[in-house]
Amino acid sequence: MNSSGPAEQGLRLIPFRGLRYVPERVGSLAAVTSPPYDVVVRPDGLHHLESADPHNIVRLILPQAETAAARHRQAAETLDRWLAEGVIAPDPEPALYVYEQRGETVLQRGLIGALALSPAGEGIVLPHEDVMDDVVADRAELMRTTRAHLEPLLLTYRGDDGPTGAGAVVERTTRRPPLLATTTEDGFRHRLWAVTDPAERDEVGADLSRRQALIADGHHRWATYLRLQREHSAPGPWDHGLVLLVDTARYPLQVRAIHRLLRGLPVPRALAALGDGLFRVREVAGPLPEALGALAKAAARSNAFLLAGDGRFHLVDRPDPELLARTIRADRPAAWRTLDATVLHSALLDDVWRIPDDPAHIGYIHDAAAAVEQAERLGATAVLMHPVREEVVRDLARQGVTMPRKSTSFGPKPATGLVMRSLTTD
């Protein structure tokens, strides 16, 4: 499906009664927000957010208890208590929400709503990464127990710059006073508006019905939405999922890499396994920004990775063609076979280092400095990656080809905690 097509085949975004923090009942809106659950660097980041405000949203998205069942039950009890105490309250009427994030050099605007779910085969919402079943199972149980969507996925679509349509509604709305405005500690300013006018919502709907979306961030939560929909045969709130839709023709996203932490592999052992010409290995100068610059230059010519964890930086590039021919699947497009993430997982993790693909052995960290720090502290290896271009991601998704999990990090990501969706009050 192209970015336009028959109306019945496109995106369907419906309004809902957003759950939002009551500003008078919390220290500040900034203090109760969090990055998405999989971006929080635990344990330091988790403790920092928990101490920022006793009502920080991290207590719902990453509850702490001895067992999974206890964690999910705790999140549900906490949400129910906050609703009863008036810390969080539903908006009086259903709305679509315009959301703006503004940084020093970044402006992003989009629409938050409840999106009709559709499997990948229908070509309406395109995933581009594989998911881990254990993560989907955990998120599903959290959503079942809380009966809520606590954080929106980030989806992108390509609109047109016309005087009407979803993009025009977004721009008109941002000229009005917002429902809320706050600045988080990363310097980003956030504003939120409600779109309740039926004519404007119809204008949005007519435009989006011709569009196709790419999942930029939130593959596990989208897979969770689909799993829970299958569990509920009768039509209802489980047929829609909370999303933020961004028109990247107006607001291009930034694409960053997600780095790997190999917990049981010290750097000397990782380097020793690369002998016999499997890769070229060179030590490069720091500090980290300079080393990442060397990685970017090398990645323009071949697959390249930066290993860290022993106080130095090791550039690994120019893989042996025979190694690639032996370990990379030949039944995939060339763009997939040459991805750094493909080479990392198929050639290095599976074949050279023989590291099991599970959370006990591989951590996924969005921040390069945090990955290096954890590797040095644990005596492990951080594998720093170079980002993939957005057009490569979109082209593979349109071919129905998914990338290795955690191949990309699109951003800026929506702050968690500004608007949530109850599955009982829509």
Side-chain angles (χ1 to χ4, degrees), residues 243-289:
V243 305
L244 166 64
L245 272 172
V246 174
D247 177 2
T248 52
R250 290 176 182 256
Y251 299 104
L253 269 65
Q254 299 172 332
V255 187
R256 294 188 172 93
I258 302 178
H259 311 291
R260 274 62 170 166
L261 177 68
L262 310 183
R263 296 187 174 92
L265 183 68
V267 173
R269 186 144 51 92
L271 295 174
L274 297 176
D276 300 324
L278 295 179
F279 283 80
R280 183 176 70 166
V281 180
R282 293 175 290 154
E283 188 173 329
V284 295
L288 179 58

Side-chain angles (χ1 to χ4, degrees), residues 6 55 81 100 105 110 148 168 172 186 211 214 218 277 281 288 297 332 334 354 388 397 403 424:
H55 300 108
R81 183 173 69 254
E100 176 189 274
T105 60
R172 291 199 302 268
D186 58 4
R211 308 297 177 190
L214 174 74
V281 180
L288 179 58
K297 290 180 181 178
R332 294 293 182 93
R354 300 187 181 277
V388 183
M403 300 163 64
T424 60

Side-chain angles (χ1 to χ4, degrees), residues 334-365:
W336 182 90
R337 296 197 306 270
T338 56
L339 288 170
D340 287 340
T342 298
V343 172
L344 173 64
H345 281 262
S346 297
L348 281 170
L349 296 178
D350 292 350
D351 189 83
V352 176
W353 292 329
R354 300 187 181 277
I355 295 178
D357 189 5
D358 64 62
H361 294 87
I362 304 175
Y364 296 89
I365 301 178

Side-chain angles (χ1 to χ4, degrees), residues 150-346:
L150 300 171
E151 45 189 337
L153 283 65
L154 176 60
L155 273 62
T156 73
Y157 72 100
R158 301 287 292 180
D160 47 51
D161 198 16
T164 62
V169 170
V170 168
E171 299 308 309
R172 291 199 302 268
T173 301
T174 58
R175 295 195 285 268
R176 305 168 190 162
L179 283 177
L180 65 84
T182 190
T183 302
T184 45
E185 65 179 7
D186 58 4
F188 269 85
R189 300 187 295 279
H190 307 261
R191 295 196 294 172
L192 189 77
W193 295 260
V195 178
T196 57
D197 181 81
E200 288 190 320
R201 296 205 305 238
D202 288 346
E203 185 178 346
V204 169
D207 183 14
L208 293 182
S209 69
R210 302 180 293 115
R211 308 297 177 190
Q212 174 191 59
L214 174 74
I215 301 176
D217 184 70
H219 283 81
H220 288 90
R221 282 166 283 162
W222 182 259
T224 301
Y225 290 166
L226 294 174
R227 175 180 291 193
L228 294 174
Q229 182 190 37
R230 291 192 295 270
E231 294 176 4
H232 295 78
S233 55
W238 301 96
D239 293 325
H240 295 78
L242 182 63
V243 305
L244 166 64
L245 272 172
V246 174
D247 177 2
T248 52
R250 290 176 182 256
Y251 299 104
L253 269 65
Q254 299 172 332
V255 187
R256 294 188 172 93
I258 302 178
H259 311 291
R260 274 62 170 166
L261 177 68
L262 310 183
R263 296 187 174 92
L265 183 68
V267 173
R269 186 144 51 92
L271 295 174
L274 297 176
D276 300 324
L278 295 179
F279 283 80
R280 183 176 70 166
V281 180
R282 293 175 290 154
E283 188 173 329
V284 295
L288 179 58
E290 289 188 21
L292 289 173
L295 172 63
K297 290 180 181 178
R301 297 185 294 270
S302 80
N303 299 112
F305 312 95
L306 194 64
L307 306 190
D310 62 348
R312 296 175 291 175
F313 298 103
H314 309 272
L315 184 63
V316 175
D317 66 353
R318 299 187 185 179
D320 175 24
E322 292 186 6
L323 171 68
L324 300 184
R326 177 168 54 82
T327 59
I328 305 297
R329 290 178 55 172
D331 61 345
R332 294 293 182 93
W336 182 90
R337 296 197 306 270
T338 56
L339 288 170
D340 287 340
T342 298
V343 172
L344 173 64
H345 281 262
S346 297

